[in-house]
Amino acid sequence: MYPEFRPRRLRTTPAMRRLVAETSLEPRHLVLPMFVADGIDAPREISSMPGVFQHTQDSLRAAATAAVESGVGGLMLFGVPRPEDKDACGSGATDPEGVLNRGLRALRDELGDATVLMADTCLDEFTDHGHCGVLTGAGRVDNDATLARYAEMAVAQAESGAHLLGPSGMMDGQVATIREALDSAGFQDVGQLAYAAKYASAFYGPFREAVGSSLEGDRRTYQQDPANRREALREVDLDLAEGADLVMVKPAMSYLDILREVADRSDVPVAAYQISGEYSMITAAAQNGWIDRDAAVLESLMSIRRAGADIVLTYWAAEAAGRLS
Ligand code: PBG
């Protein structure tokens, strides 16, 4: 046995392991997705995501402030309208009095520039059919008619105080369309965290409950096929060419290979979204006593950072930030 064949030497003590750790996980790397709902008068726990809540406007402000105090890098807000407020074109998304736009204004008023406030720029929470865009007569998602809605939505969200928009609908041309709309409305400083490679994933299941989704069927004509790798790189290249300020891969843990390739290729910051199903799986296994929850949470986040994410969106952001600081 030659001495140089003893890598265990660098694992002997906690101080040694700390010294040689290649990847770090800090509160600023974590972004907390939050849900603000109409039609509830107290925070409502999402049954498939224990510990995650739909908030009222009041509880949203309090929870967001606490998350920012714990050191998270930003917040990503989703709106949950009343079922009766949904329609075919998702009017609630562009209405300044829609639930998401009111939530953004409340948070920007409360927090100013103390955090990075992000908005989900997608119609699915607001449409009565649950798709991310408007439909043709034949019931397919109409790409270009949807872009016009996104342009309007983007301006409404910028007016409501979002620092970054998160176009998540996977329509072709969405980043360029939104950029143009923001610029012509005078919002040159509002950026886009583009969901560049977003896969049609079964792991979004619990999110559908979280936002009270009306979707029947699937999103496979616009989200990506899990079989494809090159296609993700093409989507990233297009989003970068269209002016994305950051790009995102989603989901995270089943797509760490994609994340690594995107990170190697991108010259803008790369985010990954640890989605609802990833949260629920770890939570459920921990509730059964099958895994050590706290260790599994940090390991999952570290693995996403190691694969190349500068930023991780995770429902554990506030908790993990608290434990890391
Ligand atoms: C679409 C959107 C979805 C998620 C974020 N934005 C759902 C979907 O594409 O079906 C999923 C997030 C999660 O599962 O945690 N607006």
Side-chain angles (χ1 to χ4, degrees):
M1 175 63 78
Y2 294 102
E4 62 267 32
F5 293 164
R6 292 196 182 272
R8 287 184 56 196
R9 208 174 274 134
L10 296 182
R11 301 175 198 143
T12 46
T13 67
M16 183 70 81
R17 295 193 291 273
R18 177 167 173 266
L19 177 71
V20 301
E22 296 174 40
T23 308
S24 66
L25 183 61
E26 299 171 36
R28 70 182 181 96
H29 297 137
L30 306 175
V31 169
L32 180 66
M34 303 187 82
F35 303 101
V36 61
D38 268 345
I40 55 173
D41 45 27
R44 190 180 81 79
E45 190 168 26
I46 298 155
S47 62
S48 54
M49 301 177 73
V52 179
F53 292 82
Q54 290 180 346
H55 284 289
T56 65
Q57 298 282 341
D58 286 340
S59 72
L60 174 73
R61 262 197 300 270
T65 302
V68 171
E69 280 167 4
S70 74
V72 300
L75 306 171
M76 168 66 82
L77 193 58
F78 294 90
V80 187
R82 288 187 202 87
E84 60 268 30
D85 292 337
K86 299 183 185 190
D87 60 22
C89 67
S91 306
T94 44
D95 181 351
E97 292 309 314
V99 62
L100 177 53
N101 292 325
R102 274 185 286 123
L104 290 169
R105 282 201 300 278
L107 292 188
R108 186 63 187 266
D109 282 353
E110 185 80 16
L111 297 164
D113 291 334
T115 191
V116 179
L117 182 59
M118 310 177 199
D120 183 52
T121 309
C122 191
L123 290 174
D124 63 313
E125 288 97 19
F126 299 95
T127 53
D128 52 12
H129 46 72
H131 277 293
C132 295
V134 296
L135 305 182
T136 64
R140 285 180 73 86
V141 174
D142 184 335
N143 193 87
D144 295 8
T146 299
L147 293 182
R149 297 288 298 132
Y150 287 178
E152 255 187 275
M153 187 178 186
V155 172
Q157 293 179 336
E159 282 169 347
S160 302
H163 294 100
L164 283 181
L165 307 188
S168 65
M170 291 300 283
M171 295 303 126
D172 294 335
Q174 61 186 11
V175 174
T177 301
I178 289 172
R179 184 71 270 150
E180 222 171 86
L182 290 173
D183 287 351
S184 45
F187 291 109
Q188 282 84 359
D189 288 344
V190 174
Q192 293 185 75
L193 164 56
Y195 287 61
K198 178 173 178 182
Y199 286 87
S201 172
F203 297 102
Y204 300 141
F207 182 89
R208 305 273 159 92
E209 183 203 339
V211 297
S213 171
S214 315
L215 184 71
E216 283 169 24
D218 61 58
R219 305 196 196 283
R220 283 184 239 181
T221 68
Y222 42 105
Q223 296 179 349
Q224 289 175 239
D225 185 338
N228 294 347
R229 186 194 126 262
R230 269 190 316 231
E231 187 184 38
L233 303 178
R234 178 161 188 245
E235 287 281 3
V236 168
D237 287 347
L238 287 170
D239 281 5
L240 290 173
E242 290 179 33
D245 301 282
L246 309 89
V247 291
M248 180 142 74
V249 173
K250 176 180 176 184
M253 285 175 73
S254 297
Y255 297 86
L256 294 179
D257 56 331
I258 306 295
L259 177 57
R260 167 46 59 199
E261 287 200 68
V262 169
D264 287 345
R265 186 180 190 100
S266 171
D267 51 10
V268 302
V270 174
Y273 197 142
Q274 182 182 54
I275 60 160
S276 56
E278 302 179 56
Y279 177 92
S280 300
M281 285 192 295
I282 291 176
T283 301
Q287 283 181 345
N288 277 299
W290 294 337
I291 55 174
D292 174 341
R293 177 187 179 282
D294 291 357
V297 167
L298 290 188
E299 182 179 334
S300 70
L301 296 172
M302 185 63 84
S303 73
I304 297 165
R305 285 269 303 145
R306 191 195 62 236
D310 301 292
I311 298 162
V312 186
L313 282 76
T314 171
Y315 299 98
W316 285 302
E319 176 197 319
R323 277 161 58 199
L324 292 166
S325 49

